[in-house]
Structures are given as C-alpha cells and as structure tokens.
C-alpha cells in the first residue's frame, strides 16, 4: 500500500465467483485467492480505489489499540469481581470509573485477608487502574485527532468522539460509498425482507461491519432517549413494526445522516488523500 501502488476494493462475492471459474478444484488457498482477486479486479474496472489519509491511518491505530485495552480491562474487572465475591462476599460497582476503584481499594485495605490473596487482589486492582489511565489517555488523543476531522458528524445526537473515530477509521474515504444505501449494506443496517404467512416484514441483517453496526445501535439508543425527532419516528413505526423494527428504521435513517455529514466533513479536509496502485 505504501509503495506507490493502487489498492482496489474487491468484494468477496466477486472473488468467490472468479475462484470457482478459474481454480481447477474450486478450493480456497492464499495463492488461489490472490489469483481470484486479480482476475476480479481486471474484469471489473469500475471497482473503487482505496485512498489513504495519514490522520485516518493514525486514528485506526488508536481506535484498535483502545479496543484491545477495553477487552483486557473487561477481563481483569470480571476476574476481580469474581474474586471479591468469593473472598469478601462483595460485588463492586463500575470499576472503569475512579469512584469504583477507590471503593475497592478502601475495601481491600480494611479486609482481613491472607498475604497472598491480598497481594493478588491488590495487583489486579492496580492493573485495572493502570488500564483505566491508558484508556483515558487514548480518549484524549482520539478526541484531539477527530475533532477537526468530523465537526458535522459530531453534531449528530448519539455520535461521541469515540464513535466518530470508529466511523472514520473503519470507513476511511467516504466517497468510496457513492450512496448511503451502499454504506447501509456495508454496516449491516440495510433491512432484509422476510416473507412469512403472506406477511411482509424485515429482519436484522447479521452481516456487514459489526463494529460500525454497534456504533449505530448505540446512537439509535441515545437518540431514542434524548432526541425528539427520533422519538417521533419511533412512535410512528412501533405500532406496525414493533420496537426492534422501528429501531432498525431509525438506524437506517441514521446512515443517511451520517453519510451526508461525513461527505461534508471530508470535503473540508485541507490535505491530500493519497491513492495507491495495487490490486488486493
């Protein structure tokens, strides 16, 4: 990607079709996949070209690192909570917040525990506190990077700085989605029609980018609580679609809003977006 080559986005369905067409047995392997991707890229000249922006690449590193730290912190919190329940018959509050950690520290200081157990629990709490500190530092860095990149996106109710960073990091160049409908399919928010007993309905699309889908779900929940226009939309559709169906409609509507906001924001970026030349 960084050797002045052009990167082409090849959909998996095109790769699968060319693999069956050109491979002797239709089997799957790295060489077969590479050849299938090349055949698909040559046969479909209109495929989108990948564009790289340095600040977007930087955001991706921070967002991925933060997600990893969150996973580690969650594991340690669950372990500490389990041990506190066993040894002290106590279930602490939110250990991702300083107040919760302060309460656990005070509890351990006052508890009657063996030296080895006390040391283990103390070290676990110290590790959680350190992970909390690193996550907060990353949050500050992400906020600093994403604020000038997404002023319009951040105006949307339910889109925090972290959510905006995930959207930018995962989507990259928004112009590779020529319409919000294509972005909806990519995020797994495009409704899938289901026909049962002569009754038309739509169900959840379980494909797509699940990290982006999670961001949209969170935004929809926040808008349901705080945004009058979203509340009116949900109230209009819930009698016929149910609460889940209405929320999916809201998420699909959010895709339209997000696509417009990201397009507006990217148009104002004052730096060059590098294009590279390699089929992948």
């Amino acid at each position: 990607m960084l050797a002045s080559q052009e990167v082409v986005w090849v959909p998996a369905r095109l790769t699968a079709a060319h693999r069956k067409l050109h491979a002797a047995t239709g089997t799957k392997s790295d060489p077969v996949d590479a050849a299938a991707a090349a055949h698909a890229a040559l046969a479909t000249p209109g495929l989108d070209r990948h564009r790289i922006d340095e600040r977007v690449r930087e955001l991706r590193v921070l967002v991925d690192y933060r997600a990893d730290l969150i996973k580690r912190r969650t594991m340690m919190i669950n372990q500490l909570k389990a041990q506190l329940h066993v040894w002290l018959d106590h279930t602490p509050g939110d250990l991702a917040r300083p107040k919760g950690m302060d309460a656990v520290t005070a509890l351990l200081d006052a508890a009657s525990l063996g030296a080895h157990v006390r040391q283990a629990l103390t070290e676990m709490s110290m590790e959680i506190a350190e992970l909390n500190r690193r996550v907060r530092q990353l949050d500050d860095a992400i906020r600093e990077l994403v604020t000038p990149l997404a002023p319009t996106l951040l105006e949307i109710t339910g889109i925090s700085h972290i959510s905006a960073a995930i959207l930018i990091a995962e989507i990259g160049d928004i112009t590779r989605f020529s319409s919000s409908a294509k972005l909806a399919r990519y995020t797994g928010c495009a409704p899938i029609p289901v026909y049962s007993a002569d009754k038309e309905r739509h169900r959840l699309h379980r494909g797509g980018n699940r990290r982006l889908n999670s961001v949209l779900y969170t935004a929809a929940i926040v808008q349901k609580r705080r945004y009058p226009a979203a509340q009116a939309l949900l109230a209009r559709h819930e009698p016929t679609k149910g609460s889940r169906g209405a929320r999916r409609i809201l998420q699909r509507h959010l895709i339209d809003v997000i696509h417009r906001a990201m397009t507006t924001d990217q148009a104002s970026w004052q730096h060059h977006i590098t294009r590279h030349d390699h089929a992948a």
Side-chain angles (χ1 to χ4, degrees):
M1 288 175 57
L2 302 180
S4 299
Q5 296 181 334
E6 189 172 72
V7 178
V8 181
W9 295 96
V10 180
R13 56 184 175 79
L14 290 183
T15 303
H18 281 271
R19 185 173 65 246
K20 292 179 180 179
L21 180 64
H22 295 282
T25 61
T27 56
K28 187 172 173 31
S29 68
D30 289 344
V32 169
D33 284 348
H39 281 296
L42 291 172
T44 318
L47 291 175
D48 188 59
R49 268 55 183 171
H50 182 42
R51 301 162 183 87
I52 293 179
D53 176 271
E54 289 303 317
R55 287 189 288 183
V56 172
R57 292 179 66 237
E58 191 173 359
L59 265 181
R60 285 174 183 165
V61 173
L62 298 184
V63 166
D64 289 344
Y65 183 40
R66 182 183 185 275
D68 182 58
L69 289 181
I70 294 293
K71 289 179 183 178
R72 282 190 256 172
R73 183 177 69 177
T74 300
M75 180 186 70
M76 291 304 305
I77 286 175
N78 289 340
Q79 290 180 357
L80 181 58
K81 284 186 174 183
Q83 295 300 332
L84 289 174
H85 178 75
V86 170
W87 288 97
L88 300 177
D89 193 22
H90 173 76
T91 301
D94 186 359
L95 298 185
R97 299 181 180 273
K99 184 177 180 180
M101 290 304 304
D102 291 342
V104 167
T105 300
L107 178 69
L108 291 176
D109 290 342
S112 177
L113 294 168
H116 296 301
V117 174
R118 180 182 298 279
Q119 180 181 359
L121 297 182
T122 300
E123 289 181 356
M124 291 168 69
S125 64
M126 291 174 61
E127 184 172 350
I128 293 171
E130 173 62 16
L131 288 169
N132 286 339
R133 183 188 66 81
R134 291 161 67 185
V135 169
R136 287 194 297 269
Q137 285 183 338
L138 278 174
D139 288 348
D140 292 340
I142 289 172
R143 180 186 297 268
E144 181 180 350
L145 279 173
V146 81
T147 298
L149 291 177
T152 309
L153 187 60
L154 289 169
E155 292 178 357
I156 301 173
T157 302
I159 301 297
S160 66
H161 287 83
I162 300 301
S163 296
I166 293 172
L167 286 166
I168 294 173
E170 292 291 323
I171 293 173
D173 180 13
I174 189 62
T175 62
R176 69 189 180 98
F177 297 101
S178 58
S179 68
S180 61
K182 292 183 178 180
L183 180 59
R185 175 63 66 183
Y186 179 70
T187 60
C189 289
I192 297 177
V194 177
Y195 302 93
S196 178
D198 296 326
K199 181 179 180 181
E200 181 182 354
R201 63 184 180 87
H202 291 80
R203 69 167 179 84
L204 174 68
H205 174 33
R206 299 188 182 278
N209 186 307
R210 305 317 296 170
R211 181 182 279 186
L212 290 178
N213 192 275
S214 177
V215 167
L216 291 161
Y217 174 84
T218 301
I221 295 300
V222 173
Q223 289 209 350
K224 180 180 179 179
R225 296 172 180 172
R226 303 179 183 176
Y227 192 46
Q231 293 168 356
L233 184 148
L234 291 170
R236 187 165 65 250
H237 289 286
E238 280 180 353
T240 55
K241 302 294 185 180
S243 60
R244 290 183 179 180
R247 191 192 68 243
R248 290 171 195 148
I249 292 173
L250 175 58
Q251 287 180 233
R252 178 62 185 86
H253 173 71
L254 277 169
I255 286 291
D256 295 338
V257 177
I258 287 170
H259 188 272
R260 288 195 299 269
M262 294 187 70
T263 301
T264 300
D265 287 336
Q266 186 167 309
S268 68
W269 291 0
Q270 299 299 316
H271 52 279
H272 179 63
I273 298 177
T274 307
R275 295 182 60 156
H276 299 279
D277 286 292
H278 175 70

